[in-house]
Amino acid sequence: MSQESPFRQLWKNLMRQKFALSSLIVCAAFLLTAIFAEIYTGVCHSKGIEPVYEKVAPEKRNMEPCAEYWFGTDYLGRSVLTRAVFGAKTAVKVGVIASFLAVLLGVFLGVWAGYKGGKTDDFVVWIYSTFASMPTLLFILAFSLLVSKGFLFPPLEKAFAALAALLRTEPGMLSVYLGIGMTGWVALCRVVRAETMKLRETQYVQAAKTLGASDRQIIFKHILPNLSHLIIIYFTMRFALAIMTEVIVSYLGFGAQREPSWGTMIAQGQSQLWQGIWWEAGAATLFMFILVLALNLLGDALRDATDPKLKF
């Protein structure tokens, strides 16, 4: 009988857990919504069409939730539900870019330090100790301000603008993505470094060295597969943290400017709460809560399903 693939085993484990499966469906729905919003926005910009989330109706401003507008309208008469749905594009984009960058840096530096040891390890420890001492939010805000106000070296500014155009975002928003990613790798690097130090002393790694396996073969065949559960759980957790950080940055006015963002919606809705207009801030908070909760539940389930220590 052929051995069952790890992917099929993982899928079966997830299917047995109702909360994990529900969380996977919710995350997939947000991802598909973000993809649709990205395509729709691109088509509108290319054809000079005003996106539906920007359609203003002054006569319908600050309408309460009703059959026509389930989450009411904002101060310009725009549908709050539509803006909250399209805000998923910003949330998913920042989650993917920032989490991927954080995981890439954390795994690379952690494995490099843990496997090589010596001066390499000392150098990596110095780097992550330096980043860990920085106030994360202040670093992101300063980096965003540096880019958005044109304080970068001209060639670097052009490179930022080109990369932002490629990713279909604003240069200031791209700096937020990168800032979150560059400050979010430290915890993973520490854990990966410690686990790599343990794995490099195991018998199968020592046997592979004796048989003449190269460092690259050992890392990709023996080290990284045993770190997969850490990478998966950290990616999902970092995804959720990146979304919440972007919401805070946008709430403070340094994030998205021309596209819907849950942080911007909360900031705009907060000023009207004293008038009893709660639905704009409420809708953005609800959407963020659902996605972050689903990511956390899914991350826990994936960790349990992929951690070899939990398999009996």
Side-chain angles (χ1 to χ4, degrees):
M1 181 181 293
S2 59
Q3 188 176 5
E4 196 171 40
S5 67
F7 179 78
R8 186 176 293 273
Q9 292 177 356
L10 175 62
W11 180 252
K12 285 186 175 181
N13 289 335
L14 290 178
M15 290 293 289
R16 296 192 191 102
Q17 304 179 53
K18 294 182 179 179
F19 282 116
L21 184 58
S22 301
S23 300
L24 180 61
I25 294 173
V26 170
C27 292
F30 273 93
L31 177 60
L32 292 175
T33 300
I35 293 173
F36 165 77
E38 184 71 24
I39 295 173
Y40 171 80
T41 304
V43 172
C44 289
H45 288 171
S46 63
K47 294 186 176 181
I49 303 173
E50 184 182 34
V52 64
Y53 56 80
E54 289 293 349
K55 292 188 179 299
V56 176
E59 70 280 2
K60 297 181 179 180
R61 60 190 303 271
N62 292 331
M63 284 182 59
E64 294 185 0
C66 58
E68 183 180 2
Y69 297 100
W70 292 359
F71 284 86
T73 61
D74 65 4
Y75 70 104
L76 293 176
R78 299 172 299 189
S79 170
V80 170
L81 175 60
T82 302
R83 292 185 64 80
V85 169
F86 277 86
K89 178 174 74 71
T90 302
V92 171
K93 186 179 287 187
V94 69
V96 171
I97 296 175
S99 301
F100 178 78
L101 179 59
V103 167
L104 186 65
L105 290 172
V107 172
F108 173 76
L109 292 175
V111 171
W112 187 38
Y115 188 78
K116 291 292 185 181
K119 292 183 178 180
T120 300
D121 184 45
D122 293 339
F123 176 68
V124 172
V125 170
W126 176 79
I127 291 177
Y128 73 57
S129 297
T130 301
F131 271 87
S133 65
M134 296 179 182
T136 301
L137 185 58
L138 290 181
F139 175 85
I140 296 170
L141 293 177
F143 190 47
S144 175
L145 187 64
L146 190 69
V147 174
S148 60
K149 298 302 180 181
F151 294 127
L152 290 179
F153 187 58
L156 188 57
E157 186 175 355
K158 291 182 180 179
F160 253 93
L163 183 58
L166 179 64
L167 295 174
R168 301 191 59 80
T169 188
E170 309 161 28
M173 200 62 196
L174 177 62
S175 66
V176 173
Y177 300 163
L178 298 182
I180 295 173
M182 288 190 296
T183 56
W185 58 272
V186 174
L188 179 61
C189 182
R190 285 173 170 166
V191 175
V192 167
R193 169 179 170 268
E195 288 296 317
T196 303
M197 286 180 173
K198 295 178 183 178
L199 292 171
R200 74 180 182 184
E201 303 299 332
T202 56
Q203 293 182 353
Y204 57 86
V205 171
Q206 296 299 321
K209 288 183 178 180
T210 303
L211 294 173
S214 65
D215 291 343
R216 179 180 295 181
Q217 289 175 326
I218 292 174
I219 289 173
F220 282 96
K221 290 185 178 180
H222 301 292
I223 303 294
L224 288 178
N226 285 282
L227 298 174
S228 61
H229 62 287
L230 294 175
I231 296 172
I232 291 173
I233 181 61
Y234 186 84
F235 182 87
T236 54
M237 290 179 62
R238 192 65 231 173
F239 201 114
L241 288 172
I243 291 172
M244 291 189 289
T245 304
E246 185 277 326
V247 168
I248 294 173
V249 172
S250 294
Y251 173 81
L252 295 175
F254 289 89
Q257 302 296 326
R258 298 190 298 268
E259 294 184 354
S261 168
W262 296 335
T264 304
M265 292 177 64
I266 293 173
Q268 293 173 349
Q270 180 195 25
S271 62
Q272 296 178 308
L273 287 176
W274 66 275
Q275 296 177 323
I277 302 173
W278 52 266
W279 42 89
E280 184 173 9
T285 304
L286 177 63
F287 273 69
M288 181 183 67
F289 170 76
I290 293 173
L291 179 55
V292 171
L293 177 62
L295 285 168
N296 286 329
L297 292 175
L298 181 60
D300 288 339
L302 289 172
R303 179 199 57 191
D304 296 342
T306 57
D307 190 344
K309 296 178 183 177
L310 299 178
K311 296 178 181 179
F312 300 95

